[in-house]
Amino acid sequence: MTRAGVVGWPISHSRSPLIHGYWLERYGIDGVYDRHAVAPADVAQFFRTLRERGMAGCNVTLPHKEAAFTAAVETKPAAKAAGSANTLWFEDGRLIADNTDAAGFLNSLLAAVPGLDLAGKTVAILGAGGAARGIIFALLGAGVGTVHLFNRTRARADAVAAYFGAKVQAHDWDNREAGSRGADLLVNTTSLGLHGGAPLGFDVASLKAACIVADIVYVPLETPLLATARALGLRAVDGLGMLLHQAVPGFEKWFGVRPEVTEELRALVIRNIEGA
Ligand code: ATR
């Protein structure tokens, strides 16, 4: 039997067991995917002993994504770009780390907007944390032309722009509306809009009519940003797609089947979010 799971602190909120459990059942795989609550002081040792624990690998969530990156022998380019990892597995006994949020975001976007061609497009990104870095990595890989990056702490945006080069331009947070006017895609990578938290404060009326608006927040599923975008007739892409699609590569590495993100799975997770 193959074992995998998700590691975090706390971990009870994680929806990964629901997602992977659905796939294990759907594909009739003799496997286990469970939760591991590991305190920060113990996490390096946990990763060192993954194999002794009988695990084929794991997902990693807050606050351990940087520790997972450091623990690996080899890190994939998306993980390097983000400086963090959310998926670990073994190849020839060596621990490998990737950040599948990047591809998860892109695949979610492409699933939501079939036929979307990002080549040469202008993108506005709100936030400059690890999530933003992963998403920028994925978008540049898809051939976008220019990325305008807006962050409350300007120095952090400057550092991200310096990492990626001339296609990524850093701007002050206060310029986020004016500076997004020409964008074909706007992505909120901050936690603003999260249930119970501070609002984002972004007037979508300043965007082009053809602009796609994406949010990585998925509780609530319809954030105020997405709701106002939809009300104005803009295409809105929620954060749940990214959560589902980021889970695909790990499942494939550990259990040997590339799983499908189905409407049934999406509905299952939505019921869980709404019941929470
Ligand atoms: P992650 O790795 O998930 O992206 P993070 O590194 O904590 O998380 O980044 C969170 C992002 O949300 C940052 O861009 C942060 O801005 P700062 O770099 O200035 O901290 C942004 N953010 C969080 N709270 C914010 C707020 N109240 N206003 C504006 N931006 C905020």
Side-chain angles (χ1 to χ4, degrees):
M1 190 179 64
T2 306
R3 298 186 71 90
V6 59
V7 183
W9 183 259
I11 198 60
S12 58
H13 65 284
S14 174
R15 288 169 176 106
S16 291
L18 184 65
I19 298 168
H20 290 277
Y22 167 85
W23 283 330
L24 286 172
E25 195 177 317
R26 180 181 158 103
Y27 297 105
I29 292 169
D30 182 21
V32 171
Y33 185 101
D34 47 17
R35 291 184 165 85
H36 299 270
V38 180
D42 302 327
V43 79
Q45 169 72 1
F46 184 92
F47 291 141
R48 265 198 301 276
T49 54
L50 262 191
R51 270 156 72 87
E52 286 90 319
R53 293 168 189 275
M55 295 177 74
C58 60
N59 281 131
V60 184
T61 187
L62 299 177
H64 298 326
K65 290 185 178 190
E66 283 83 11
F69 179 80
T70 309
V73 175
E74 183 186 329
T75 50
K76 297 292 180 188
K80 283 196 176 78
S84 66
N86 69 344
T87 306
L88 295 173
W89 70 94
F90 291 97
E91 279 177 23
D92 302 325
R94 300 161 66 241
L95 190 63
I96 316 287
D98 200 356
N99 192 316
T100 66
D101 284 337
F105 172 78
L106 197 59
N107 288 336
S108 159
L109 188 62
L110 296 175
V113 189
L116 176 66
D117 180 7
L118 289 166
K121 293 285 162 60
T122 299
V123 181
I125 303 273
L126 307 179
R133 283 173 170 265
I135 286 169
I136 292 168
F137 174 83
L139 290 171
L140 291 175
V144 300
T146 306
V147 175
H148 296 291
L149 181 57
F150 304 90
N151 198 53
R152 177 181 58 179
T153 308
R154 173 63 193 265
R156 224 171 161 201
D158 288 335
V160 175
Y163 177 85
F164 286 107
K167 283 188 172 176
V168 179
Q169 296 169 18
H171 305 277
D172 288 342
W173 181 243
D174 287 347
N175 288 344
R176 62 195 181 280
E177 281 168 11
S180 299
R181 282 204 182 108
D184 301 297
L185 169 68
L186 172 89
V187 188
N188 173 42
T189 76
T190 74
S191 51
L192 298 173
L194 189 68
H195 177 71
L200 171 60
F202 187 97
D203 182 9
V204 287
S206 59
L207 296 172
K208 293 201 299 199
C211 184
I212 299 166
V213 179
D215 207 328
I216 70 164
V217 171
Y218 59 89
V219 183
L221 194 57
E222 179 100 326
T223 59
L225 174 71
L226 296 181
T228 49
R230 241 186 271 275
L232 284 176
L234 304 184
R235 201 185 283 258
V237 179
D238 65 54
L240 179 56
M242 179 172 162
L243 175 74
L244 301 177
H245 283 274
Q246 64 76 31
V248 169
F251 190 92
E252 184 177 20
K253 296 284 185 202
W254 311 315
F255 300 115
V257 173
R258 187 162 183 88
E260 206 188 333
V261 174
T262 60
E263 275 307 314
E264 188 185 33
L265 173 60
R266 202 179 141 82
L268 179 74
V269 180
I270 289 174
R271 280 200 298 281
N272 179 276
I273 290 171
E274 287 175 349

